[in-house]
Amino acid sequence: MGDNRKKKKFYFRKRRNKYFLEPGFRGFFCTCNFREKDCVKEMYNLLNEYAEKLYTAEYGNKPSAVESDERSDTDTDNEIDIGDMLKGEVESMKKDLQKSLKHKRFQVVETGVSNCIFIKTNLPSPEELTSAIIKDLTTTKVQKTRHVLRLLPIMATCKANLPDIMECAGKLFDKYFLKEPSTFAIVFNKRLNSSASRELIIKELAELVVLKNAENKADLKNPGLCIIVEIIKGICLLSIVDNYFSYKKYNIHEICKEEVRDDSEETQAKKFKADISQEEGSKE
């Protein structure tokens, strides 16, 4: 009996420390290929790498008051020693601050669905960080992950019922569809949810976009903005992204693939014949 009680206590303690997907979150949604722990590690590394590039300037890059005082007060050795001590303390505080911010920036939460990872963030604009990652990978073609497939910013989460979805989406649409007209498409996916109606949600969201601005037009092939609706169990994840299809549906594996040019002899021969036929047609 004693062993069983210990096991139960350990189980509940472990479960209590987990975070679960809830309404009111911002973050990053990604899919993986059955290696969830490895995917989470890769995501932490990827997000922290680009967050350092984007946001480091906000913390501790400017000369501090202590450093400027130290440059001016160089009259005695005692003052220099005190300045060095203060400078060391300030640098130590900065390092501690950066470490704590790094840990607080990103936190994986349980989705309850296999191969679906959600990483919560306290950053105000996860789309800004995602855009920086996607654009850089598109340019460099450097494959930085093995297990992460799609990576999407999530601007808001809410309960997966129509009234909550419409209220949450309305706030996002004010920013993207109210002032300047745009073409749009809606990408809808749901997992382990049988109550949310795909057709009804898409219809209501499309009508809401047009209601914001009558010049907004649906374009399923080449939309200016794409509305992402991901429903996971009882939670709806919402986001608005640009260049969704040109960025390979935000699949970072596909983005990093080099475009293969077909320069074989057979292909070159076909091109040569086509050019000749066009020239003969123009002569006639």
Side-chain angles (χ1 to χ4, degrees), residues 28 61 126 129 147 214 220 277:
F28 307 88
N61 277 356
L129 182 55
H147 307 290
L220 303 183
S277 62

Side-chain angles (χ1 to χ4, degrees), residues 190-201:
K190 68 175 182 176
R191 298 169 175 87
L192 298 184
N193 182 300
S194 58
S195 59
S197 170
R198 172 190 175 90
E199 290 76 16
L200 179 60
I201 292 173

Side-chain angles (χ1 to χ4, degrees), residues 16-28:
R16 198 179 296 125
N17 290 334
K18 288 186 177 181
Y19 296 87
F20 293 89
L21 186 58
E22 296 177 3
F25 283 0
R26 294 187 305 271
F28 307 88

Side-chain angles (χ1 to χ4, degrees), residues 71-260:
R71 293 191 191 99
S72 59
D73 299 332
T74 55
D75 297 329
T76 65
D77 294 338
N78 290 334
E79 288 177 343
I80 293 174
D81 292 339
I82 293 172
D84 289 339
M85 290 173 61
L86 290 172
K87 181 181 176 182
E89 289 181 9
V90 170
E91 291 299 325
S92 177
M93 290 172 63
K94 286 178 183 177
K95 289 179 181 179
D96 292 340
L97 176 62
Q98 288 177 346
K99 285 181 181 179
S100 63
L101 286 170
K102 186 181 289 187
H103 289 300
K104 289 180 181 179
R105 277 180 187 158
F106 310 113
Q107 174 63 57
V108 65
V109 301
E110 291 287 323
T111 64
V113 179
S114 298
N115 300 320
C116 292
I117 308 296
F118 187 87
I119 295 181
K120 178 186 174 185
T121 185
N122 60 6
L123 297 176
S125 302
E127 65 275 13
E128 182 182 18
L129 182 55
T130 306
S131 179
I133 294 171
I134 296 296
K135 287 179 180 178
D136 186 58
L137 296 182
T138 301
T139 303
T140 62
K141 300 295 182 183
V142 176
Q143 185 64 263
K144 298 194 175 187
T145 63
R146 293 179 58 192
H147 307 290
V148 181
L149 300 178
R150 293 175 71 217
L151 168 61
L152 288 167
I154 299 300
M155 300 176 183
T157 62
C158 63
K159 290 184 178 179
N161 59 65
L162 187 59
D164 284 13
I165 292 173
M166 296 303 291
E167 180 182 356
C168 191
K171 296 174 183 177
L172 293 179
F173 291 178
D174 285 343
K175 180 179 178 181
Y176 290 92
F177 296 108
L178 189 60
K179 295 181 180 179
E180 295 183 4
S182 175
T183 56
F184 71 94
I186 299 173
V187 176
F188 183 98
N189 291 300
K190 68 175 182 176
R191 298 169 175 87
L192 298 184
N193 182 300
S194 58
S195 59
S197 170
R198 172 190 175 90
E199 290 76 16
L200 179 60
I201 292 173
I202 290 177
K203 174 179 172 293
E204 293 291 330
L205 288 176
E207 289 178 357
L208 182 60
V209 172
V210 176
L211 190 63
K212 295 293 180 181
N213 189 324
E215 295 184 17
N216 291 326
K217 303 294 181 185
D219 185 347
L220 303 183
K221 292 184 178 180
N222 188 28
L225 294 171
C226 221
I227 301 164
I228 306 297
V229 183
E230 294 278 351
I231 292 180
I232 300 177
K233 289 189 170 182
I235 303 296
C236 178
L237 285 58
L238 290 171
S239 192
I240 299 169
V241 299
D242 59 357
N243 299 310
Y244 181 74
F245 294 108
S246 61
Y247 284 150
K248 313 294 183 183
K249 300 180 180 179
Y250 281 54
N251 186 316
I252 57 179
H253 266 245
E254 294 296 323
I255 286 173
C256 292
K257 286 183 179 178
E258 295 282 355
E259 293 183 2
V260 179

